[in-house]
Amino acid sequence: MKLGIDAYSFHRYFGELYAGLETAPDRGMTVWDFIDLSCDLGAEAVSLESCFLPVGDRELTTALAARLDRAGLDRVWAWGHPRGLQSGAAPQALDDARASLADAAAVGARVMRICAGGRGTRPALWADHKAALLPLLDPLVREAKAAGVVLAVENHIDLLAEEMVDLIETIGSDHLGVCLDTANNLRMYENPKAVIRRLAPYAKATHIKDIEARGGDPATMAFWPSVPAGRGVIDLDFALRELKAQGYTGVLAVEIDWLSPGYGTEAEAVAESLSYLRGVMGRL
């Protein structure tokens, strides 16, 4: 397993803010700045968020591939923020996913994380949700296989663990798995250990995330902010042991969404997370 960083950890620097929770930094960040910082922090891999990059820019993806190769960084391509396929209600989003798949292949990513939806798009009934997603995911998985890329559906506060498994097993392709976010399903009131144990066998990518309960309305992001790995309520030792036991050899991508006040800058939180995870890996 390789320690990495998801670019979403620095979303404020790429121009995205959580309304009412975050303020803009004094200066922004480019993808090149992110790669340089990842190298400085000793990461072995990066997850590049397509939402912060132009679509279909072959000059850019060629340059990115060359830069990552020179740095010796493994890479995951991430598509679908914030709501991806909108739980099946946005068939037009499939065109954007296809374009991003071509970018993933061009940058040399073997895995592309995708979002099927988000907190605000989840239908009331799983049967309806599944029926809406399958016609979109089936052709995308076939195209991913042709491109030599594995798709990893994130548990993006839209899918319960058993729904994730049902979706993956129904499609039944070795080019479709899970991007296991270690914290998101706690935000859906599922036991995080049970979710990690259930989804680890299907993991093709990860978001290694720790969170705390800050108070307020548990249906909102403000209740469950990110904290540096090892500071919150997610048992990341357990998560990494489960992933290793299932033969996972991919990227352990640190992700910070809304960073809880009092933990410094995003760069400091990511650096602390990497240090903590190195210690965990040394004990495996």
Side-chain angles (χ1 to χ4, degrees):
M1 297 184 286
K2 295 183 179 180
L3 280 180
I5 307 169
D6 193 289
Y8 195 73
S9 299
F10 300 97
H11 59 271
R12 288 196 311 129
Y13 299 83
F14 286 105
E16 181 183 307
L17 300 175
Y18 284 83
L21 297 176
E22 295 179 324
T23 58
D26 292 336
R27 56 180 295 182
M29 177 181 284
T30 68
V31 67
W32 309 110
D33 296 329
F34 168 66
I35 293 170
D36 288 344
L37 177 59
S38 298
C39 292
D40 291 344
L41 293 176
E44 302 169 284
V46 292
S47 175
L48 299 176
E49 292 284 344
S50 66
C51 60
F52 301 138
L53 298 168
V55 176
D57 186 335
R58 283 297 159 266
E59 183 177 350
L60 174 63
T61 50
T62 299
L64 282 171
R67 175 71 181 93
L68 295 170
D69 287 345
R70 288 196 302 274
L73 291 173
D74 202 349
R75 67 222 62 167
V76 173
W77 191 258
W79 173 84
H81 178 77
R83 293 185 171 182
L85 299 172
Q86 296 188 32
S87 300
Q92 68 277 10
L94 187 57
D95 290 336
D96 189 66
R98 285 172 165 141
S100 204
L101 177 59
D103 287 342
V107 86
R110 292 167 292 180
V111 177
M112 182 170 95
R113 183 272 269 153
I114 64 173
C115 295
R119 185 196 294 271
T121 66
R122 174 181 166 82
L125 298 177
W126 169 237
D128 296 338
H129 195 171
K130 180 180 177 182
L133 283 175
L134 287 177
L136 303 182
L137 288 174
D138 273 329
L140 189 61
V141 171
R142 289 195 298 271
E143 292 179 32
K145 184 173 183 177
V149 175
V150 173
L151 300 181
V153 181
E154 182 181 350
N155 49 318
H156 200 232
I157 323 182
D158 60 329
L159 292 164
L160 299 171
E162 289 303 327
E163 295 168 350
M164 293 282 292
V165 171
D166 187 15
L167 190 67
I168 300 302
E169 292 192 345
T170 297
I171 293 174
S173 170
D174 57 2
H175 281 261
L176 180 67
V178 170
C179 176
L180 172 56
D181 187 298
T182 55
N184 274 350
N185 279 48
L186 177 54
R187 292 164 167 167
M188 298 178 74
Y189 319 126
E190 285 198 294
N191 183 307
K193 277 190 172 182
V195 172
I196 290 164
R197 182 182 292 113
R198 188 71 175 106
L199 296 184
Y202 303 89
K204 304 296 184 182
T206 65
H207 283 166
I208 304 300
K209 182 189 295 170
D210 205 350
I211 61 176
E212 66 181 9
R214 187 171 174 81
D217 181 357
T220 67
M221 181 67 74
F223 188 96
W224 302 106
S226 290
V227 296
R231 298 277 205 121
V233 299
I234 305 300
D235 189 340
L236 294 176
D237 290 57
F238 172 83
L240 267 60
R241 288 197 305 271
E242 283 292 307
L243 287 164
K244 182 178 180 181
Q246 294 298 329
Y248 180 73
T249 58
V251 176
L252 302 171
V254 171
E255 188 194 34
I256 304 286
D257 38 40
W258 174 49
L259 179 60
S260 187
Y263 290 96
T265 67
E266 288 89 344
E268 290 169 337
V270 168
E272 182 179 338
S273 296
L274 291 172
S275 178
Y276 175 82
L277 293 170
R278 287 188 189 101
V280 174
M281 293 179 72
R283 297 192 294 271
L284 293 179

